[in-house]
């Protein structure tokens, strides 16, 4: 539970520097520029929003480059301690924070954090690992929700593999939907040929279960030996034939109602739950 501001922190706040009051400030322009993927890739960093998300990043030892905050954010002692240790921190006027947040209910803190994306060749499988591999996932809300579930089910060893033309792991929408869980999740990227090559090289060391909408084995009956990789397909097109062929098992979530398919994040949550009950 987040604690209230201590007298010591209250005294420290009185010595804060003047707030940034203009959205035309170069630092603010840089923050808003990080909403675009091309700028995140060019600078190797992304925009993390919210007091708790920044606390999570600090707890996960992520490389925080800059912190921007309002006086309201400093009411949280844990956050104020992080600010005290961070050399590059900037106070924001509430109106500027509102423009950075771009939300009706504005957030009060923002951080510039280094990205940690790696190529799949850098993935080292752990004996009890649980991994999610997502083929061309395009919805940032789905990805953020899946990351949140993966961290919940897999713990500190959580890792997601994004295959092909997938949504950017570090987009603000993904970070927001994950509720800060992206800070505790490794991320690897691969083209489909790179992923297939990695699987062929490591197939004896990890069990791959492909999730298919129909024609697979009832997902509740499979053994899910560890290390386990759950492979999920694009929201509209599903898994490619090549990716299905690399799997040891093909799982289907049985449905009795008149729906064609489940939301990808919902399907992933069901698969992770079933896999961790074995």
């Amino acid at each position: 539970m987040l604690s209230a501001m201590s007298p010591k922190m209250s005294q420290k706040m009185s010595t804060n520097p003047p707030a940034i009051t203009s959205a035309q400030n170069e630092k603010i322009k840089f923050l808003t520029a990080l909403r675009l993927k091309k700028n995140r890739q060019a600078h190797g960093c992304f925009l993390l929003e919210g007091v708790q998300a920044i606390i999570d990043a600090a707890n996960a030892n992520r490389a925080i480059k800059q912190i921007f905050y309002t006086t309201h954010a400093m009411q949280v002692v844990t956050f104020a301690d992080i600010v005290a240790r961070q050399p590059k921190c900037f106070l924001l006027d509430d109106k500027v924070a509102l423009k950075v947040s771009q939300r009706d209910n504005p957030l009060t803190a923002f951080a510039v954090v280094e990205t940690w994306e790696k190529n799949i060749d850098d993935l080292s499988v752990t004996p009890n690992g649980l991994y999610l591999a997502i083929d061309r996932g395009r919805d940032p809300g789905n990805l953020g929700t899946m990351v949140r579930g993966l961290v919940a089910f897999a713990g500190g060893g959580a890792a997601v593999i994004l295959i092909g033309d997938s949504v950017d792991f570090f987009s603000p929408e993904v970070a927001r939907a994950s509720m800060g869980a992206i800070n505790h999740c490794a991320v690897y990227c691969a083209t489909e040929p790179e992923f297939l090559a990695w699987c062929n090289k490591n197939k004896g060391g990890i069990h791959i279960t492909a999730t298919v909408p129909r024609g697979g084995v009832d997902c509740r009956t499979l053994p899910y030996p560890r290390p386990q990789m759950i492979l999920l397909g694009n929201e509209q097109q599903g898994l490619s034939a090549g990716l299905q062929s690399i799997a040891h098992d093909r799982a289907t979530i049985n449905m009795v109602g008149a729906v064609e398919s489940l939301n990808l994040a919902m399907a992933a949550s069901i698969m992770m739950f079933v896999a961790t009950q074995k």
Side-chain angles (χ1 to χ4, degrees):
M1 183 176 178
L2 300 179
S3 51
M5 181 174 61
S6 68
K8 182 178 179 182
M9 287 299 121
S10 178
Q11 182 178 9
K12 181 175 179 176
M13 277 180 55
S14 65
T15 63
N16 273 329
I20 296 174
T21 59
S22 172
Q24 299 307 310
N25 182 286
E26 290 302 316
K27 293 182 177 64
I28 303 305
K29 288 183 178 180
F30 178 68
L31 278 187
T32 56
L34 291 178
R35 294 191 177 279
L36 298 179
K37 181 178 180 179
K38 66 178 183 179
N39 294 326
R40 293 192 293 271
Q41 292 179 331
H43 295 282
C45 54
F46 73 107
L47 176 64
L48 187 62
E49 304 175 87
V51 168
Q52 187 57 56
I54 295 171
I55 292 173
D56 288 339
N59 289 338
N61 295 317
R62 296 302 179 189
I64 300 174
K65 311 297 289 182
Q66 298 175 328
I67 295 176
F68 296 78
Y69 63 94
T70 68
T71 55
H72 303 289
M74 295 294 280
Q75 295 177 13
V76 180
V77 171
T78 307
F79 177 79
D81 288 340
I82 293 170
V83 169
R85 299 192 302 269
Q86 173 66 35
K88 293 186 177 182
C89 294
F90 307 93
L91 181 63
L92 295 181
D93 175 87
D94 287 348
K95 292 182 180 179
V96 175
L98 179 61
K99 290 187 177 181
V100 175
S101 181
Q102 297 183 346
R103 297 174 62 175
D104 293 334
N105 182 23
L107 296 169
T108 59
F110 311 88
V112 177
V113 184
E114 283 187 9
T115 57
W116 54 88
E117 176 184 299
K118 295 182 179 179
N119 185 271
I120 193 170
D121 289 334
D122 295 319
L123 174 59
S124 297
V125 175
T126 58
N128 198 41
L130 176 65
Y131 306 89
L132 276 188
I134 304 164
D135 175 27
R136 296 163 294 148
R138 304 309 304 273
D139 187 286
N142 276 341
L143 179 55
T145 302
M146 287 187 282
V147 168
R148 186 179 181 186
L150 180 62
V151 172
F153 287 113
V160 63
I161 299 95
L162 301 179
I163 306 167
D165 186 18
S166 293
V167 65
D168 184 12
F169 184 83
F170 297 103
S171 75
E173 295 82 5
V174 172
R176 192 177 302 134
S178 81
M179 297 295 289
I182 64 166
N183 294 301
H184 304 284
C185 185
V187 57
Y188 300 87
C189 293
T191 63
E192 182 171 323
E194 288 173 341
F195 180 79
L196 293 173
W198 184 91
C199 289
N200 284 319
K201 181 180 178 181
N202 296 275
K203 199 169 184 180
I206 187 168
H207 191 94
I208 302 172
T209 302
T211 305
V212 294
R214 55 192 61 83
V217 177
D218 185 334
C219 67
R220 296 167 294 181
T221 65
L222 292 170
Y224 302 101
R226 297 293 185 96
Q228 174 71 216
M229 180 180 289
I230 298 172
L231 184 56
L232 299 124
N234 172 269
E235 288 91 344
Q236 282 77 41
Q237 301 172 349
L239 285 169
S240 72
L243 292 174
Q244 289 189 44
S245 70
I246 205 71
H248 298 89
D249 290 314
R250 296 167 76 246
T252 294
I253 300 170
N254 289 342
M255 299 178 291
V256 297
V259 294
E260 182 179 349
S261 63
L262 294 175
N263 172 279
L264 186 61
M266 181 183 292
S269 297
I270 292 171
M271 291 296 297
M272 288 186 285
F273 176 78
V274 171
T276 53
Q277 301 309 299
K278 300 296 182 177

